[in-house]
């Protein structure tokens, strides 16, 4: 790995995380003002990332054309709405008052978060590991970094158990996003997947239903995660087998 490029990526990640982790909510209580500040930060972060990638000649963004074979990734989208299953098993009741502004602002910010994090962790971090490691190892290492970075959310004074749970599920999410990215070679796919996961599971369902963080919540999500992990593993194994067959035919 080129050390200069690695240092540049580390600098970029640290800078963007620092700016996006500033706890404005501790000093500002107006939701509209907080939304505007967050939106400006997300747009500024995206523009700076794109500028810095070009300026420092970091890993270029992959935008391969979609193919019909990519449809095999569709079952993984069940992860994006796993909390709907929690709603069913918990027999959750609808929220008495639906926060429409919260849903709208959450949708916009979720788009920004997905773009920022995928530009950093899939187009740069994962790409760096892919240069020296096999696909599975590269996905695992980049996912470990992706999950670990979310431990920084403790700076927003979130409870330690909540942050630990988030770090665990973002590690798994990183695995899925890594598979989506390496399968499609198109950064737009993990961006879309990441957005849907954040918006549907963390914002839309929470705003529409009363969900409890009880044993049912964890069992349902873990079961869904295990099933999708097995399916994802089969996809990776099949992809590796197809590559080997191609090499043999070429020889």
């Amino acid at each position: 790995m080129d050390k200069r490029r690695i240092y540049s990526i580390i600098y970029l990640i640290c800078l963007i995380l620092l700016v996006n982790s500033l706890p404005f909510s501790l000093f500002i209580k107006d939701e509209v003002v907080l939304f505007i500040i967050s939106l400006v930060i997300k747009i500024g972060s995206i523009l700076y990332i794109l500028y810095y990638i070009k300026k420092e000649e970091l890993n270029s963004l992959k935008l391969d054309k979609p193919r019909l074979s990519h449809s095999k990734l569709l079952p993984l989208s069940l992860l994006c709405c796993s909390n709907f299953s929690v709603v069913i098993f918990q027999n959750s009741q609808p929220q008495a008052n639906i926060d429409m502004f919260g849903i709208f602002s959450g949708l916009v910010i979720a788009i920004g978060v997905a773009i920022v994090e995928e530009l950093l962790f899939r187009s740069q971090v994962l790409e760096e590991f892919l240069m020296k490691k096999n696909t599975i190892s590269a996905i695992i290492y980049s996912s470990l970094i992706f999950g670990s970075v979310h431990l920084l959310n403790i700076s927003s004074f979130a409870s330690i158990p909540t942050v630990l749970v988030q770090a665990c599920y973002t590690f798994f999410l990183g695995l899925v996003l890594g598979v989506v990215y390496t399968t499609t070679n198109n950064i737009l796919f993990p961006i879309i997947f990441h957005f849907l996961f954040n918006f549907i599971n963390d914002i839309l369902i929470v705003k529409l239903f009363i969900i409890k963080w009880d044993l049912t919540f964890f069992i349902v999500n873990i079961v869904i995660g295990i099933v999708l992990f097995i399916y994802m593993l089969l996809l990776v194994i099949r992809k590796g087998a197809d590559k080997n067959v191609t090499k043999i035919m070429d020889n």
Side-chain angles (χ1 to χ4, degrees), residues 5-251:
R5 190 172 62 248
I6 293 175
Y7 292 148
S8 295
I9 292 174
I10 293 174
Y11 157 78
L12 183 60
I13 292 176
C14 290
L15 176 64
I16 298 300
L17 290 179
L18 175 63
V19 173
N20 283 269
S21 299
L22 295 174
F24 291 105
S25 59
L26 295 178
F27 313 102
I28 302 173
K29 301 303 178 182
D30 189 295
E31 291 185 357
V32 176
V33 175
L34 283 173
F35 168 66
I36 293 174
I37 292 174
S38 184
L39 180 59
V40 170
I41 289 175
K42 294 296 181 294
I43 294 175
S45 296
I46 294 169
L47 294 177
Y48 184 75
I49 291 171
L50 294 174
Y51 159 77
Y52 194 77
I53 288 175
K54 183 177 181 179
K55 174 179 175 291
E56 296 297 316
E57 298 180 346
L58 302 182
N59 302 311
S60 58
L61 304 183
K62 289 185 176 179
L63 292 168
D64 285 8
K65 292 182 179 180
R67 298 194 300 270
L68 184 60
S69 61
H70 295 161
S71 60
K72 61 190 175 186
L73 295 171
L74 286 176
L76 295 178
S77 62
L78 292 175
L79 185 67
C80 298
C81 52
S82 61
N83 280 345
F84 269 128
S85 299
V86 175
V87 169
I88 295 173
F89 279 95
Q90 286 186 348
N91 193 25
S92 302
Q93 300 302 309
Q95 295 280 5
N97 298 305
I98 298 177
D99 181 9
M100 295 305 297
F101 176 75
I103 293 176
F104 168 74
S105 61
L107 183 149
V108 175
I109 299 304
I111 294 174
V113 169
I115 296 174
V116 168
E117 294 190 351
E118 292 313 300
L119 288 178
L120 292 176
F121 294 101
R122 248 54 64 184
S123 78
Q124 299 305 312
V125 176
L126 178 53
E127 277 294 337
E128 279 299 308
F129 282 116
L130 286 171
M131 292 179 187
K132 295 295 181 180
K133 306 289 183 181
N134 60 57
T135 301
I136 295 178
S137 296
I139 291 174
I140 292 175
Y141 290 143
S142 63
S143 298
L144 283 171
I145 294 175
F146 182 59
S148 299
V149 160
H150 284 80
L151 291 173
L152 295 176
N153 286 336
I154 197 69
S155 63
S156 63
F157 295 95
S159 66
I160 293 178
T162 300
V163 173
L164 291 177
V165 169
Q166 186 183 36
C168 290
Y169 79 68
T170 49
F171 164 70
F172 180 73
L173 176 62
L175 295 177
V176 176
L177 293 170
V179 169
V180 171
Y181 178 70
T182 54
T183 300
T184 62
N185 285 317
N186 187 325
I187 191 62
L188 295 179
F189 281 89
I191 287 176
I192 294 171
F193 193 102
H194 195 155
F195 158 69
L196 291 175
F197 179 87
N198 283 354
F199 176 65
I200 297 176
N201 266 347
D202 293 342
I203 298 171
L204 184 61
I205 297 177
V206 174
K207 296 293 185 183
L208 295 180
F209 298 95
I210 301 173
I211 294 182
K212 302 174 183 177
W213 275 43
D214 57 10
L215 188 60
T216 301
F217 175 89
F218 289 101
I219 290 177
V220 170
N221 276 288
I222 289 173
V223 169
I224 292 175
I226 291 174
V227 172
L228 293 181
F229 178 78
I230 294 173
Y231 178 76
M232 185 171 61
L233 193 60
L234 292 174
L235 286 181
V236 174
I237 293 174
R238 176 63 183 274
K239 183 179 179 181
D242 289 343
K243 283 186 176 179
N244 290 334
V245 170
T246 301
K247 289 181 179 179
I248 293 173
M249 293 178 66
D250 290 341
N251 293 332

